[in-house]
Amino acid sequence: MGEPNHPTFDIFKGSADRLEEVKVTRAGLPWDSPILRGIKSLNLECCTSIRVSDILNVLNACSDLTALIIFSTHIEVDMQADPSKAVNMKRLETVKFIVGELEGIEEVTKGFYAPNCETFKFYEGSVLPTGTENFILTTLAPYFPFFRRMMFERPKAVIDVSNLNEFHIQCPLEMGEDDYVGFSIYFSGTPPDILAAFLDQVLGEDESRKPDVRLIIGRDWGEEGITILDEVPSYCNVVDLWLGGRTTLREFDAKSTLHRLTRPTVLPNLRHLIISGDGWNAEEVEAILLTRYDRADPSVVPLRIRFIGRGVKKGDYFMRDLEMIPEVEEASCNLKTQHLDKEDL
């Protein structure tokens, strides 16, 4: 609902007993309106400014709410929420916040808890974010058991660190279904060490049980990329590795993430290696894999390797030569695109 000539209005004369879903776009409501009591879905999209207290009052009046979505809506901080007094939203299954700033949304998140959440999506795209470490490691802490459960129960979570200082973890409910996620968290301007701290709090260093994940890492990260490659396996089994998540990459050198794979102890559970972008040299890749698999070991996990992009420098028999390595069960190349598609996964 929305009305350009009057940004704040009420409808149904304040009474709508059968109303279950409310979506407000580029407008506003009297947030104490009776029509907001007892609804099951609230979606605020590009709305006029709303206060933290308004949202929490609506949640208090909607014990049957199953979906809360806030998209590009400024939230004014008029109160500091007390997590110990958070509204317990037992029926709330879907929480989606897509915002450009943490101001306001952090207080809202502190003000309620959804113990039976099934879908949690948070996207914060501020150019100069502040307070992200506290938000990720403290404000989101009540959801850590849910995140942990999703990472073990659902197909491979995706840990995407292809861009420097971006934090993105997504756990799909069904592989290939982008619209259905267990949880998806994205923050810009976040240093890599927060990723390790998050995984430590959600998963802990439990050697006996780790979830399988797909790791996407920028090949041009140098030492920082190597650090992530070393730290993530402390908490997860990296079974898929995609190197070079962007098309513009620097030339290969010995400090690249791929070169780290010469050590068999690095990513010992790796089953699928995807290399994309320009500048890769076939002979160097082959030499690295030969070093990694330089001794017969029956416990080694077979590897599938795939190259994506027009910039791979390879000879005519490169794929055949790779498949001659006993531990490489399949080698293939997709030179038609710079981007992943379903056949690459």
Side-chain angles (χ1 to χ4, degrees):
M1 66 183 71
E3 186 174 311
N5 297 326
H6 200 310
T8 302
F9 61 96
D10 207 345
I11 58 174
F12 305 132
K13 297 181 179 180
S15 177
D17 295 338
R18 297 184 179 181
L19 184 65
E20 293 188 350
E21 299 183 10
V22 173
K23 180 177 181 180
V24 185
T25 304
R26 300 184 185 279
L29 285 174
W31 300 111
D32 59 352
S33 170
I35 72 168
L36 295 176
R37 296 174 184 168
I39 60 175
K40 295 183 178 180
S41 176
L42 177 62
N43 186 341
L44 307 179
E45 184 174 325
C46 304
C47 291
T48 54
S49 182
I50 182 173
R51 297 176 300 181
V52 171
S53 60
D54 293 330
I55 297 177
L56 297 184
N57 287 336
V58 171
L59 296 183
N60 266 306
C62 299
S63 59
D64 290 333
L65 195 74
T66 61
L68 174 63
I69 301 170
I70 299 178
F71 177 82
S72 293
T73 295
H74 175 71
I75 301 174
E76 178 186 345
V77 179
D78 66 328
M79 62 171 287
Q80 300 295 314
D82 183 352
S84 67
K85 299 179 181 179
V87 183
N88 191 347
M89 306 296 295
K90 295 180 180 180
R91 297 181 183 272
L92 187 57
E93 297 179 348
T94 299
V95 178
K96 294 183 180 181
F97 295 152
I98 302 173
V99 297
E101 58 188 4
L102 283 180
E103 182 184 10
I105 203 68
E106 179 167 15
E107 297 304 322
V108 171
T109 306
K110 290 178 182 177
F112 76 94
Y113 176 53
N116 299 309
C117 183
E118 292 295 330
T119 299
F120 185 98
K121 183 173 185 177
F122 194 99
Y123 180 96
E124 186 273 334
S126 175
V127 177
L128 296 172
T130 58
T132 54
E133 180 174 1
N134 181 71
F135 186 88
I136 293 171
L137 301 180
T138 304
T139 305
L140 293 183
Y143 293 91
F144 287 173
F146 165 65
F147 297 158
R148 176 181 172 84
R149 178 168 63 86
M150 288 292 102
M151 291 187 74
F152 277 106
E153 290 184 0
R154 303 303 182 184
K156 290 169 290 191
V158 177
I159 300 177
D160 186 346
V161 285
S162 54
N163 277 350
L164 186 63
N165 289 340
E166 287 189 3
F167 176 105
H168 188 193
I169 298 180
Q170 178 169 302
C171 185
L173 291 174
E174 297 180 29
M175 293 301 291
E177 297 292 337
D178 294 335
D179 294 332
Y180 298 92
V181 298
F183 73 90
S184 178
I185 305 172
Y186 173 89
F187 289 88
S188 61
T190 306
D193 60 318
I194 294 182
L195 169 64
F198 174 84
L199 293 175
D200 181 52
Q201 292 201 28
V202 172
L203 299 171
E205 293 193 45
D206 183 0
E207 292 293 336
S208 64
R209 189 166 184 250
K210 297 179 181 179
D212 292 346
V213 301
R214 170 177 294 137
L215 178 61
I216 302 175
I217 187 167
R219 175 179 162 235
D220 53 353
W221 270 37
E223 294 297 332
E224 290 167 311
I226 291 174
T227 298
I228 288 178
L229 199 65
D230 289 343
E231 290 186 348
V232 170
S234 298
Y235 314 100
C236 311
N237 293 322
V238 178
V239 295
D240 293 355
L241 176 64
W242 175 20
L243 295 180
R246 296 295 181 266
T247 57
T248 304
L249 302 170
R250 63 179 169 80
E251 287 298 314
F252 178 91
D253 64 41
K255 292 183 179 180
S256 74
T257 311
L258 179 63
H259 197 271
R260 195 69 163 181
L261 296 183
T262 55
R263 303 182 183 182
T265 55
V266 174
L267 307 188
N269 298 293
L270 187 63
R271 303 171 194 161
H272 189 189
L273 174 62
I274 297 174
I275 297 176
S276 68
D278 295 342
W280 298 103
N281 184 288
E283 293 182 357
E284 290 168 331
V285 173
E286 183 178 0
I288 286 170
L289 292 178
L290 285 170
T291 303
R292 180 178 177 87
Y293 302 119
D294 67 345
R295 63 189 68 182
D297 185 351
S299 66
V300 171
V301 178
L303 180 69
R304 291 186 298 122
I305 183 170
R306 186 164 179 80
F307 290 85
I308 301 172
R310 303 178 184 87
V312 179
K313 304 171 184 177
K314 65 182 184 66
D316 295 337
Y317 302 105
F318 175 50
M319 297 303 163
R320 185 198 66 181
D321 292 343
L322 283 182
E323 290 184 335
M324 293 294 290
I325 301 174
E327 292 79 7
V328 176
E329 68 175 6
E330 179 184 346
S332 58
C333 193
N334 179 359
L335 300 181
K336 297 179 181 179
T337 179
Q338 294 280 14
H339 306 285
L340 283 175
D341 55 35
K342 289 185 178 180
E343 70 178 57
D344 295 316
L345 300 177

